[in-house]
Amino acid sequence: GIQVEQSPPDLILQEGANSTLRCNFSDSVNNLQWFHQNPWGQLINLFYIPSGTKQNGRLSATTVATERYSLLYISSSQTTDSGVYFCAVAIMDSNYQLIWGAGTKLIIKP
Amino acid sequence: NAGVTQTPKFRVLKTGQSMTLLCAQDMNHEYMYWYRQDPGMGLRLIHYSVGEGTTAKGEVPDGYNVSRLKKQNFLLGLESAAPSQTSVYFCASSYIAATYGYTFGSGTRLTVV
């Protein structure tokens, strides 16, 4: 089945720093999403981005489907950005089943 | 508040006991999903539903059953709980299959002893 790999697994930054999180996937997908899980466990959908670039405030994401990767950029990090960031994809013949990466754990220190 | 509500939030079961987790959404979403999350891992899909009265197996369906008798509710049942089912369970819903608008409940932490 399709493999989803996220890097780095852990990232510790000072408040105000910028970061780039990467998601690689092993097969063609027609659906890619980024999620944030806060330290209390709540999961929030950040981006639906099967291709191209999107921006939402300090966060932006780019997916290059032909090269099978996606990047999540966080600028001017704040302590509230801490948590785990997940990438999830759906394969071409099953748009219902999101396959999730293991996540990148981000800690922003004040 | 609009969204996805899961009950209960915490539960401890003894091996062999049964229980039902309830998921309710008030966004009129067609698609609903049950996931489990184990430490250090991403979510894994247990079962999903593409509409009222329908259910389908996901990646890890063994030991679980589901029902969607009403559009707004999606029930996850454990008939005979095992320690391997200790996990955090998340319900989610979406308007269009697995696309934006994917909304999660706050999770149920289940421990089987």
Side-chain angles (χ1 to χ4, degrees):
Chain A
I2 189 169
Q3 303 296 317
V4 181
E5 296 182 353
Q6 292 186 243
S7 60
D10 299 279
L11 188 58
I12 301 174
L13 298 172
Q14 290 295 133
E15 198 168 24
N18 301 328
S19 59
T20 301
L21 283 59
R22 187 177 180 100
C23 172
N24 292 333
F25 42 97
S26 61
D27 204 346
S28 298
V29 301
N30 62 356
N31 182 336
L32 186 144
Q33 301 189 50
W34 284 96
F35 295 86
H36 175 226
Q37 186 170 37
N38 69 22
W40 297 271
Q42 183 65 46
L43 281 152
I44 302 295
N45 184 290
L46 298 175
F47 293 104
Y48 165 70
I49 186 165
S51 63
T53 298
K54 289 187 177 179
Q55 181 157 5
N56 184 2
R58 296 181 296 103
L59 274 61
S60 64
T62 295
T63 297
V64 184
T66 54
E67 297 186 22
R68 299 181 184 171
Y69 74 89
S70 182
L71 302 174
L72 178 69
Y73 305 96
I74 305 174
S75 64
S76 304
S77 299
Q78 300 176 359
T79 55
T80 52
D81 294 329
S82 296
V84 182
Y85 289 83
F86 290 103
C87 166
V89 304
I91 58 177
M92 299 298 287
D93 62 352
S94 177
N95 207 26
Y96 310 119
Q97 300 199 39
L98 285 178
I99 307 300
W100 293 64
T104 292
K105 185 175 183 179
L106 177 63
I107 297 174
I108 303 298
K109 293 187 171 182
Chain B
N1 292 333
V4 178
T5 303
Q6 289 184 233
T7 53
K9 296 191 183 307
F10 303 93
R11 184 74 185 269
V12 178
L13 285 180
K14 293 182 178 179
T15 298
Q17 287 185 319
S18 63
M19 77 163 296
T20 300
L21 282 67
L22 171 64
C23 177
Q25 55 94 3
D26 59 4
M27 297 171 286
N28 203 34
H29 284 172
E30 289 292 337
Y31 301 88
M32 297 187 74
Y33 316 84
W34 275 107
Y35 287 92
R36 61 177 288 173
Q37 184 179 29
D38 298 302
M41 298 178 66
L43 279 68
R44 291 183 293 169
L45 184 65
I46 304 171
H47 286 280
Y48 62 98
S49 168
V50 303
E52 181 178 315
T54 74
T55 63
K57 294 180 179 180
E59 183 184 358
V60 288
D62 293 343
Y64 305 95
N65 57 75
V66 288
S67 64
R68 183 121 181 248
L69 300 179
K70 294 183 178 180
K71 185 177 183 178
Q72 63 268 33
N73 296 335
F74 195 28
L75 305 178
L76 177 70
L78 286 73
E79 292 185 346
S80 179
S84 61
Q85 294 178 305
T86 294
S87 189
V88 180
Y89 292 85
F90 286 97
C91 175
S93 70
S94 66
Y95 180 64
I96 303 173
T99 59
Y100 55 86
Y102 214 89
T103 304
F104 279 90
S106 57
T108 296
R109 185 174 296 275
L110 175 66
T111 302
V112 183
V113 298

